[in-house]
Amino acid sequence: MKTLIRRSLKTGLVFGILTVFLFLIGFTGTAANLLADLFHNEFGDPLLGRTPLMLNTVVFLGLIGLWAGAGGASREEDLPGDPVSASVLGGAAAGLVHGLSVGAVAWLIGGLNARGVMMNKYLAELLPIAIRQFLVGFSPAAAGVFYLLFLTAAGALGGGARHALGRGSGRYRTALQAHARDRIEALPFYRTAVAHPAAKYVLYGLLLAGVLLLPLFAGQYWNYTIGTVGIYVLLGLGLNIVVGLAGLLDLGYVAFFAIGAYAMALLTAPTPHNLLWNFWLVIPIGILLAAITGILLGAPVLRMRGDYLAIVTLGFGEIIRILSKSDDLTPFTNGPKGVPSVGGPTFFGLNVNNNIAFVYLIFLSVILVIFVTNRLQNSRVGRAWEAMREDETVSRAMGINTLTQKLLAFAIGAAFAGLGGALFASRNQFTGPEDFNLMVSINVVSLVIVGGMGSIPGVIAGALVLKGLPEMMRQLEDYRIMVFGALLVVMMLWRPAGLIPSSRRKMETAADSGVVDTTEQKGVK
């Protein structure tokens, strides 16, 4: 019983804080608008004196209340003798704490608003209309009581629903999966295909063909988005070598990206130097310049470790951005105005400077970088990087020249960033200082962590999640930073090794938690 009460109170408090936070940043209003788009009721008639947006707000908060109740419900180990009442009781207790938290804030904010205090002077999203919508047309005190009763009821319902849906669902799902598996395995075609040694390659070929055909059917906007995701895959693969394999925390990775982009811009654009060099000639120059910069930066600073290295690289990234828009370098870099009309690729005299061609060029670059990364990861160099990441002192004692290996990792990671920057500037036909702010480095570090450090499929998954999904949910773009933070916290709690961790990383995480998967150990050589 104590465990149940403790969990219910804790869950209710967590969901109370979450709901209040969402209200203070204006997300409850955004959620109501999204539901209005879904239900097509934004301009509908009021119901019981409440506008459709007020009712949508109640629906949204009710869903959170159900979730809170399900989280606070009992588990079988809590009260094995009476699971139904324990689930409803636990859900109601969580809902009560949840309702108390939300009701108290509704009463407080609503009371201040009724006394003429302009809350939006302190929190921009708390406009009077947003507060009235959150109060659902009630007075502040009545809204507080309403949320207390409503969220308590929602919590009890969520607890009961968890018990109803959880009981026996595992057995049903297992039986259904077994039945479906048996039916599929009974198909003659399936048995023949699985037994054939080329089946795996045929599957990969079909997937590759689907990816290659995608740009032909996607519109201009989606081709641009796919290209952006591809460029971030390039950046993620480069940083994956530095952070994921060599264990060097680099927070100024955007600097190498900027060097590749400016190399492409300054050498192919008509302004400021009117050099108009060929795109294919400038690509290796951008890669080489970024790699050399990586070595020049790395030589003096790579003797540092951990936080110190992160701070130095962070400063380097900002130095490159500030230099690119400084007055002294304006004649060379075009300053804050940036460089327009960046040149694009030509192929046997044909201009292929369009979104579809760039998507294929980025695909080709990603495949090439994946090949190089895979070969490096499985080579002596890759093993030296991993040894250095695990324990630098021991790896040095084993005869590994750690400074050389660090410089190599830094240079290769920077070269990949330079390639991404050159493609970025050419595709956009423009580049400027604001393209290379700190958020680019944070985005790349985030996608490597979320996807799984040291894992190539993980980096691709991280880029899709952190760069692709926001484009699909543009209405939530203002909350990208919040989503970043929440996602990183969730990942660290539930999937510390990332979305698709490498086999070695997965084994290390299991060993740290005390549960070693012997199957994984056998698979890792």
Side-chain angles (χ1 to χ4, degrees):
M1 177 61 80
K2 287 183 180 177
T3 305
L4 173 62
I5 294 174
R6 193 182 303 118
R7 181 190 303 122
S8 301
L9 297 179
K10 183 178 175 183
T11 304
L13 186 60
V14 169
F15 275 88
I17 294 171
L18 172 67
T19 307
V20 170
F21 177 68
L22 293 178
F23 165 58
L24 294 180
I25 65 171
F27 188 80
T28 52
T30 302
N33 289 328
L34 288 171
L35 289 175
D37 290 341
L38 179 65
F39 299 147
H40 304 289
N41 67 350
E42 184 177 3
F43 302 105
D45 296 329
L47 181 64
L48 300 175
R50 271 68 189 171
T51 65
L53 288 180
M54 289 179 181
L55 298 175
N56 290 343
T57 303
V58 173
V59 170
F60 174 66
L61 295 180
L63 292 174
I64 296 181
L66 289 172
W67 188 10
S74 74
R75 296 171 184 166
E76 291 184 359
E77 63 270 21
D78 293 336
L79 291 174
D82 188 10
V84 180
S85 338
S87 294
V88 175
L89 182 62
L96 178 66
V97 178
H98 185 199
L100 273 174
S101 307
V102 179
V105 171
W107 172 74
L108 177 63
I109 300 291
L112 291 173
N113 183 61
R115 287 171 174 75
V117 178
M118 299 302 293
M119 297 300 298
N120 58 323
K121 287 171 58 180
Y122 308 99
L123 291 166
E125 300 295 334
L126 293 187
L127 295 168
I129 189 172
I131 295 174
R132 283 197 298 275
Q133 182 177 317
F134 187 69
L135 297 181
V136 203
F138 294 114
S139 66
V145 174
F146 167 75
Y147 278 123
L148 174 63
L149 299 176
F150 175 68
L151 293 178
T152 302
L157 188 59
R162 172 172 176 163
H163 174 79
L165 294 176
R167 187 176 60 179
S169 63
R171 292 195 297 271
Y172 176 75
R173 186 169 57 248
T174 304
L176 186 64
Q177 290 173 345
H179 177 71
R181 187 172 58 245
D182 292 342
R183 293 292 298 270
I184 292 173
E185 289 176 354
L187 296 173
F189 170 77
Y190 177 82
R191 290 201 300 270
T192 306
V194 170
H196 199 283
K200 181 172 69 174
Y201 299 103
V202 171
L203 179 62
Y204 290 160
L206 290 174
L207 289 175
L208 183 61
V211 171
L212 292 179
L213 289 175
L214 183 62
L216 299 177
F217 300 100
Q220 184 177 5
Y221 170 74
W222 286 111
N223 275 328
Y224 182 85
T225 302
I226 293 169
T228 302
V229 172
I231 288 172
Y232 270 84
V233 170
L234 288 175
L235 297 178
L237 290 171
L239 192 63
N240 189 45
I241 289 179
V242 180
V243 178
L245 295 182
L248 305 170
L249 183 54
D250 182 359
L251 294 182
Y253 193 63
V254 67
F256 309 120
F257 182 53
I259 288 169
Y262 266 98
M264 174 61 70
L266 295 176
L267 294 177
T268 63
T271 57
H273 305 298
N274 197 28
L275 295 176
L276 302 177
W277 286 16
N278 187 281
F279 171 88
W280 301 108
L281 177 63
V282 177
I283 281 280
I285 292 176
I287 295 172
L288 191 61
L289 281 176
I292 292 173
T293 309
I295 295 173
L296 293 177
L297 171 68
V301 305
L302 284 180
R303 297 180 189 280
M304 302 179 184
R305 297 185 186 182
D307 302 342
Y308 300 102
L309 178 61
I311 292 170
V312 170
T313 52
L314 176 66
F316 177 68
E318 283 299 290
I319 287 171
I320 293 294
R321 186 181 67 84
I322 292 171
L323 282 178
S324 66
K325 63 178 183 181
S326 69
D327 293 337
D328 293 336
L329 290 180
T330 295
F332 181 71
T333 63
N334 229 19
K337 292 188 298 184
V339 183
S341 305
V342 179
T346 56
F347 194 68
F348 291 109
L350 296 174
N351 185 5
V352 290
N353 192 7
N354 57 68
N355 272 331
I356 296 178
F358 262 105
V359 170
Y360 283 118
L361 188 56
I362 291 169
F363 279 171
L364 184 63
S365 303
V366 168
I367 292 171
L368 180 64
V369 168
I370 287 175
F371 174 75
V372 173
T373 304
N374 190 49
R375 297 294 294 173
L376 283 171
Q377 193 169 357
N378 295 317
S379 68
R380 291 172 61 89
V381 173
R383 295 185 187 281
W385 285 339
E386 290 180 343
M388 197 168 59
R389 179 192 66 196
E390 298 304 318
D391 194 317
E392 186 177 339
T393 305
V394 173
S395 62
R396 190 185 298 124
M398 295 298 292
I400 296 174
N401 187 331
T402 56
L403 181 60
T404 303
Q405 295 299 334
K406 285 181 180 179
L407 283 175
L408 186 59
F410 231 62
I412 293 174
F416 291 169
L419 172 61
L423 293 174
F424 175 80
S426 181
R427 185 198 61 164
N428 293 352
Q429 299 180 13
F430 173 84
T431 195
E434 298 311 315
D435 291 334
F436 311 110
N437 55 42
L438 179 62
M439 275 307 298
V440 177
S441 290
I442 293 177
N443 283 338
V444 181
V445 171
S446 300
L447 72 89
V448 171
I449 294 174
V450 170
M453 288 195 292
S455 165
I456 295 174
V459 170
I460 297 172
L464 287 172
V465 169
L466 294 185
K467 295 304 296 182
L469 281 183
E471 294 298 331
M472 297 172 68
M473 299 182 294
R474 291 195 67 83
Q475 294 193 54
L476 303 180
E477 189 175 11
D478 292 340
Y479 305 99
R480 183 178 298 184
I481 301 299
M482 184 186 74
V483 172
F484 269 170
L487 194 56
L488 288 177
V489 171
V490 169
M491 290 297 303
M492 291 304 102
L493 288 176
W494 279 288
R495 289 190 70 85
L499 288 173
I500 310 177
S502 63
S503 54
R504 182 174 294 277
R505 185 81 178 169
K506 201 165 18 176
M507 184 189 70
E508 290 169 355
T509 306
D512 291 342
S513 64
V515 181
V516 180
D517 188 341
T518 54
T519 306
E520 292 292 344
Q521 278 186 310
K522 291 174 183 174
V524 177
K525 297 179 182 178

